[in-house]
Amino acid sequence: MIRDITLGQYYPGESPIHRLDARTKIIATILYIIELFVVNNFWGFLIAAAALFAVIAVSRVPVKFIFRGLTAVFIIIAFTFIINLFMVDGRVLWHWRFLTITYEGVSRAFFMAVRLVLLIIGSSMMTLTTKPIELTDGLEKLFKPFSLIGLPSHEIALMMTIALRFIPTLMEETDKIIKAQEARGADFESGNLFQRAKSLIPILIPLFISSFRIAQDLALAMEARCYHGGSGRTRMNEIHFAKGDAVAAVLMVLFLAVIIASRYIPVLYK
Amino acid sequence: MSIEVKDLRYVYSPGLPGETVALDGVSFEVHDGETIGIIGHTGSGKSTLLQHLNGLLKPASGDVYVDGQCITDGSVKLVEIRRKVGLVFQYPEYQLFEETVAKDVAFGPRNTGLSEEKIETRVKASLALVGLNYDEIGDSSPFELSGGQKRRVAIAGVIAMEPSVLILDEPTAGLDPSAHREILSMIELIREKMGIIIIFVSHNMADVAALSDRIIVMDGGKIAMEGTPQEVFSHEKELSAMGLGVPPVREIMTKITAALPEIESNALTADEAATDIKKVINIPKRDN
Ligand SMILES: Nc1ncnc2c1ncn2[C@@H]1O[C@H](COP(=O)(O)OP(=O)(O)O)[C@@H](O)[C@H]1O
Ligand SMILES: [Mg+2]
């Protein structure tokens, strides 16, 4: 179901991961994503997956909840897998008409799929354990140095947070509209590709209109509370680095070293 | 035509955090031609219940029978059920999407595969039934209309499928008094002209008292009370414990009968109250 997408959702909790400074989590996530592309063999992926599961375990976010979010992006993962499977040249493993699967293709497809899964879970761990408001504050502080070269750090951070915040709202809205059109006998499941695409119109138009309405309401609500951009704004709860963040930083450096070292672990097959 | 709901249970996000039991052992029957009002605190499961009646939600357990046919065991085509049971969601104007009012109203009938002439007749008839003129607004964009008009166009879109049961989820929510009155008289007209089962949810106790043959009171996913308006609204204490109330006329009459014991009344509407008061007050004839 469309509302099952957990990307961008917050899962309330009191775990050490939840308590980390948002900046630590943002940096850790970016670092993790980069490391996923540094990894080049089986051992590296095993270590990366183990580290991620350790984080999930500490955060106490139910694994079921995280994986439910993956089902929605399953198509993208499957598509990447198939493209890689058939498109890589190398030693032929299987051949039929114009379709060829190579050893290199299999391993590339497998690695790409694992990489995507870890990437999606990794980045959803950040949003699952960080309140949107903390995320904005964190992003804004991280962007601050760039405001010297004219980057509107506050506005960018706000835009990103609003986008994240409204994913679930729009999902809910979509669900409602789908149901309402189904009640009028709309059928989204049968017909050829063209008919199916056409059957989306009764969903997309009301959804567009709803988004504009929501955006307008939000803008009005912000103005009513005298929002006037970032300059001179102060916070009720300032964020601070704490002991946990130092521990996290040490672990991050260690993990980076292990990941780089993993490139040199001999693999069992070639 | 009849509806029978047996021991319905529904759980949102089962097995996940945020698991909510929205319906728990709900059973009731609706007979031919009845108008049923459903009341209940926000979150008591009213909307969830309505979505089971046309197969939009599948119950965790329990069954729904429409016209003696079980719609929950997968033996009936869903399009067939949706043609029979018309469901108007809360704020239905948000589902309008076509360029013109006529086309939007035609969306439902077209999905059931009717011929173009039949669709046209239905569109005209259902717009008339909701008090709108096809020749005046049929070709205008639904987005140019007023709030009340938009809502009536959306309701016409469901009526155009000529359902045997019409379900309305909070049809008057967020309307101004005149649009509110229009929707109420529209419901009365549909009841009169089509003679179908009408089930509606409302937070306005006066509307529920005036329109319903029977009232179902929902509380925490269960049916807390069921009966005629007179029966249900005689339980003022229980209702207010559930965050509900009685029609304003009943409140006033309770005060009046307490102060003036010679007046006897359990009126729910202004007309009933007037009759009861007239019975005891003899205004001497003035001669002028
Ligand atoms: N789509 C949904 N996902 C999860 N929970 C829901 C959803 N819709 C409703 N609920 C929950 O189910 C319960 C009943 O809701 P609903 O049927 O909408 O009540 P009502 O219409 O009486 O206000 C509420 O606790 C509500 O929070
Ligand atoms: Mg509701």
Side-chain angles (χ1 to χ4, degrees):
Chain A
M1 203 42 168
I2 193 139
R3 64 163 65 245
D4 289 344
I5 297 177
T6 46
L7 200 68
Q9 231 164 319
Y10 174 64
Y11 185 90
E14 273 299 320
S15 74
I17 306 281
H18 283 82
R19 280 196 298 269
L20 284 180
D21 190 299
R23 285 169 290 182
T24 313
K25 284 184 267 189
I26 295 167
I27 293 170
T29 307
I30 295 170
L31 207 60
Y32 187 72
I33 291 172
I34 295 171
E35 283 160 352
L36 282 178
F37 288 89
V38 170
V39 166
N40 70 342
N41 63 30
F42 174 75
W43 298 114
F45 280 117
L46 199 66
I47 295 164
L52 188 57
F53 275 93
V55 171
I56 293 174
V58 174
S59 75
R60 276 183 247 131
V61 177
V63 176
K64 227 179 175 180
F65 190 77
I66 300 167
F67 275 88
R68 199 170 59 135
L70 264 186
T71 54
V73 282
F74 179 75
I75 295 176
I76 302 174
I77 296 168
F79 188 70
T80 323
F81 185 84
I82 290 166
I83 291 279
N84 274 298
L85 196 61
F86 291 111
M87 296 297 169
V88 179
D89 290 332
R91 286 171 297 153
V92 177
L93 181 71
W94 180 81
H95 182 84
W96 181 75
R97 304 244 173 119
F98 59 93
L99 293 174
T100 315
I101 297 180
T102 62
Y103 283 102
E104 284 77 3
V106 172
S107 76
R108 176 90 74 85
F110 175 72
F111 283 161
M112 249 354 232
V114 173
R115 199 170 266 155
L116 265 179
V117 169
L118 292 178
L119 192 147
I120 293 164
I121 297 180
S123 34
S124 30
M125 276 319 288
M126 173 180 76
T127 52
L128 280 168
T129 59
T130 319
K131 283 189 195 128
I133 186 87
E134 287 173 4
L135 211 55
T136 329
D137 285 359
L139 281 173
E140 191 179 341
K141 287 224 165 138
L142 285 174
F143 282 149
K144 198 103 239 168
F146 299 105
S147 58
L148 290 177
I149 54 164
L151 193 81
S153 62
H154 173 80
E155 281 72 16
I156 290 176
L158 189 73
M159 260 157 56
M160 290 169 88
T161 322
I162 290 177
L164 278 179
R165 157 67 184 79
F166 279 95
I167 290 173
T169 308
L170 286 179
M171 293 293 163
E172 222 167 89
E173 202 70 19
T174 313
D175 198 45
K176 250 191 245 164
I177 295 167
I178 290 178
K179 276 185 181 162
Q181 306 297 23
E182 273 181 344
R184 291 209 273 167
D187 182 6
F188 307 110
E189 256 113 61
S190 55
N192 59 34
L193 198 65
F194 179 71
Q195 284 165 331
R196 281 195 198 199
K198 218 179 138 199
S199 75
L200 289 180
I201 294 174
I203 301 175
L204 292 180
I205 292 178
L207 191 61
F208 266 122
I209 295 170
S210 287
S211 328
F212 285 124
R213 185 167 37 82
I214 292 169
Q216 205 164 19
D217 287 351
L218 180 69
L220 217 61
M222 284 167 73
E223 239 173 292
R225 294 188 213 174
C226 305
Y227 176 80
H228 58 87
S231 59
R233 235 168 107 79
T234 55
R235 290 197 169 62
M236 193 157 95
N237 301 309
E238 284 287 343
I239 49 175
H240 297 290
F241 285 116
K243 225 191 280 167
D245 297 289
V247 175
V250 172
L251 288 177
M252 267 149 60
V253 172
L254 257 169
F255 182 63
L256 181 63
V258 171
I259 284 293
I260 293 173
S262 82
R263 288 176 66 94
Y264 304 101
I265 301 176
V267 276
L268 301 177
Y269 62 92
K270 250 280 166 308
Chain B
M1 180 53 63
S2 67
I3 293 184
E4 202 180 336
V5 171
K6 275 189 189 160
D7 208 20
L8 214 56
R9 183 183 163 81
Y10 189 81
V11 184
Y12 283 105
S13 350
L16 290 165
E19 174 180 293
T20 318
V21 180
L23 293 178
D24 189 10
V26 172
S27 306
F28 63 91
E29 278 174 42
V30 185
H31 309 290
D32 210 1
E34 266 191 313
T35 300
I36 305 284
I38 300 184
I39 57 177
H41 197 267
T42 304
S44 59
K46 306 180 296 292
S47 302
T48 309
L49 174 62
L50 299 187
Q51 289 170 47
H52 279 87
L53 303 181
N54 73 343
L56 276 175
L57 291 179
K58 295 260 164 302
S61 67
D63 286 302
V64 178
Y65 296 85
V66 174
D67 221 4
Q69 220 174 9
C70 182
I71 65 163
T72 36
D73 61 5
S75 61
V76 193
K77 266 186 150 180
L78 284 175
V79 175
E80 195 53 36
I81 302 163
R82 284 168 196 165
R83 207 192 53 69
K84 262 191 198 168
V85 182
L87 172 57
V88 179
F89 274 84
Q90 201 175 349
Y91 298 107
E93 56 272 26
Y94 294 152
Q95 335 143 16
L96 299 172
F97 71 97
E98 277 287 12
E99 293 156 75
T100 69
V101 168
K103 275 191 189 167
D104 204 287
V105 176
F107 181 69
R110 188 158 285 137
N111 285 331
T112 62
L114 286 176
S115 71
E116 284 303 314
E117 298 100 76
K118 273 207 176 132
I119 292 176
E120 170 119 1
T121 332
R122 291 240 187 137
V123 170
K124 280 184 181 158
S126 49
L127 279 174
L129 208 50
V130 299
L132 295 171
N133 191 332
Y134 177 89
D135 299 317
E136 260 173 45
I137 63 154
D139 285 329
S140 48
S141 159
F143 303 106
E144 290 166 357
L145 305 175
S146 74
Q149 282 177 321
K150 269 189 205 164
R151 185 160 304 179
R152 281 186 286 161
V153 168
I155 296 175
V158 172
I159 293 176
M161 298 177 76
E162 295 197 344
S164 326
V165 178
L166 181 65
I167 304 176
L168 302 133
D169 196 351
E170 302 193 26
T172 57
L175 293 181
D176 60 61
S178 85
H180 183 126
R181 269 198 304 277
E182 283 163 11
I183 296 283
L184 287 191
S185 47
M186 180 206 79
I187 295 177
E188 266 168 354
L189 188 70
I190 292 169
R191 178 159 77 162
E192 218 170 89
K193 285 263 167 76
M194 297 175 78
I196 56 177
I197 292 179
I198 297 179
I199 301 176
F200 73 106
V201 169
S202 176
H203 289 303
N204 186 313
M205 299 301 140
D207 296 351
V208 177
L211 287 176
S212 330
D213 297 317
R214 216 143 45 87
I215 296 176
I216 291 175
V217 185
M218 296 282 299
D219 189 36
K222 293 189 166 73
I223 293 185
M225 255 188 255
E226 196 183 337
T228 62
Q230 273 305 343
E231 286 162 3
V232 167
F233 288 125
S234 62
H235 298 276
E236 188 171 350
K237 272 214 192 84
E238 287 96 320
L239 286 173
S240 92
M242 286 182 247
L244 300 169
V246 296
V249 170
R250 166 55 66 84
E251 264 176 61
I252 295 169
M253 290 313 283
T254 309
K255 294 234 163 91
I256 291 180
T257 48
L260 304 165
E262 52 275 22
I263 298 178
E264 266 178 55
S265 172
N266 49 12
L268 293 172
T269 64
D271 287 339
E272 288 168 11
T275 317
D276 288 342
I277 294 174
K278 259 192 215 146
K279 269 189 221 152
V280 283
I281 295 180
N282 285 312
I283 300 167
K285 279 227 173 75
R286 274 179 235 151
D287 31 29
N288 47 349

